[in-house]
Amino acid sequence: GRDDRREPGGLGLGGARLRAGGGAALRVAGAALRPRQRAGVVGVPRGLRGVRRRVRVLVLPLRRLYALVAQDAQGAGGGSAPLTRGPIWDTLFRRPRKEPDMGFFDRISEGLTRSRDKFKEQMNVLLDRGPDLDEEFWDGLEETLILADVGGAAAAEIVEGLRDQATRKALPDAYAVLDLLNDQIASTFTEGGEDVLGGQPALVLFVGINGTGKTTTVGKLAKEATDAGRTVILGSADTFRAAAIEQLEVWAERANVEVVTRERGSDPASVCYDTIERAESRGADLVLIDTAGRLHTSADLMRELEKVVNVVRKRSQLPVYTVLVTDATTGQNGLSQAREFDRALDLDGVIVTKLDGTAKGGIALAVSHELGLPVLKIGVGEGLDDLRDFDAHDFARALVGEFDERA
């Protein structure tokens, strides 16, 4: 017969019963652990032999595991400790410890691994020819920077700056030049943007094509500002994309802020107007408005977005800023998009998202340098804390790495 009863300190397992105490004895219904009996012996029906073997296969590992854990516990606690003390128990049953959060540089360095590996691979090919500072080196360096998606204009300025320093400082070889590369890249970024998201009262419109992460960026900024003690109002002017309003409402709930919405298909300009009125009645010092994604090649859609921005600039008593959210994975396409949005809307800054895991991280420099836009934030992951303040020197270090291969 089958015995499913549990005893104190034991483990019931189908026909098996595992009991802790007195040397950790194991009991199995019938004679499952007795020596194998020959077929045909009285009292052992042929049909039960397969069942007996399956029970043995299941139970024996449990018995060995119990003995191992018990021995482990005795070693950890002197023989009298409970079975939750040993490292084997910890490995099997305790939740893994949460890894400490990485700092900005570690996080962005990890995210830009592919971009950095691509750059260093090209540079190693260039350095294999020797460290001489000849025209071949300077042309190769500029080409490598362009392949890293920093843009032709930025690459040319970086190389020109390094050439000038090499002459003035009488640098001996290519490695001495590369020691200055990080600082030269950092100085090529456009500075400023502190007034946009730096703590001053502001109304910020977020624009960009579909899929760049505008709504998520608005939500993360709202949470950050609320945690800093600011009064924040969100506006959902993306009235076309399915579930866009609901997505922003979820973020508003996380950040514990109010969001102004209208039914799907409403005029985005009217949503912005309502948001401004609500912000004034609440005394909000930061208004974040999410707009619908616009294809930069569509003149009609861009004109409609111009209308929204103009309404906001005329109505708002707060300083109004227009920020482009661009996806780093698009590479040079992102630069084309930024040109069109800046031409239509006169942008005030850019936020670069999805920098984690892309080989096109240099696009942040291309957009900032060519359009004269400060990089306000960068996205290096999907977590709440993965939208980081931009630091040009840390970004440059993470993008190109270090070169210490001197012979």
Side-chain angles (χ1 to χ4, degrees), residues 207 305-306 309 313 322 340-347:
V207 299
L305 186 57
E306 288 181 56
V309 173
R313 286 172 176 166
T322 307
E340 296 303 320
F341 277 98
D342 188 48
R343 183 178 296 114
L345 307 175
D346 190 19
L347 299 173

Side-chain angles (χ1 to χ4, degrees), residues 153-155 157-158 183-190 365 368-369:
E157 183 172 317
I158 291 170
D183 288 340
Q184 189 66 38
I185 290 176
S187 67
T188 309
F189 279 97
T190 300
L365 176 56
S368 176
H369 177 265

Side-chain angles (χ1 to χ4, degrees), residues 203 205 272 276 289 308-316 320:
L203 186 153
L205 282 157
C272 295
I276 294 171
I289 298 181
V308 172
V309 173
N310 289 334
V311 166
V312 171
R313 286 172 176 166
K314 291 177 181 179
R315 175 64 183 81
S316 176
V320 176

Side-chain angles (χ1 to χ4, degrees), residues 203-287:
L203 186 153
V204 186
L205 282 157
F206 294 88
V207 299
I209 68 168
N210 287 320
T212 58
K214 293 186 299 297
T215 304
T216 300
T217 297
V218 170
K220 291 179 179 180
L221 289 172
K223 182 68 167 60
E224 178 185 309
T226 302
D227 291 344
R230 303 187 67 180
T231 303
V232 182
I233 292 288
L234 304 184
S236 181
D238 184 354
T239 59
F240 298 102
R241 180 171 64 89
I245 297 173
E246 291 78 5
Q247 183 184 358
L248 191 60
E249 286 175 337
V250 170
W251 277 108
E253 184 177 351
R254 289 183 184 178
N256 194 27
V257 300
E258 183 178 348
V259 57
V260 177
T261 65
R262 278 196 176 190
E263 62 273 9
R264 187 178 174 191
S266 299
D267 178 15
S270 66
V271 177
C272 295
Y273 195 93
D274 292 346
T275 303
I276 294 171
E277 287 196 333
R278 183 58 181 163
E280 291 175 350
S281 66
R282 285 282 310 277
D285 63 340
L286 181 61
V287 181

Side-chain angles (χ1 to χ4, degrees), residues 20-33:
L26 181 69
R27 304 287 179 85
V28 180
L33 296 181

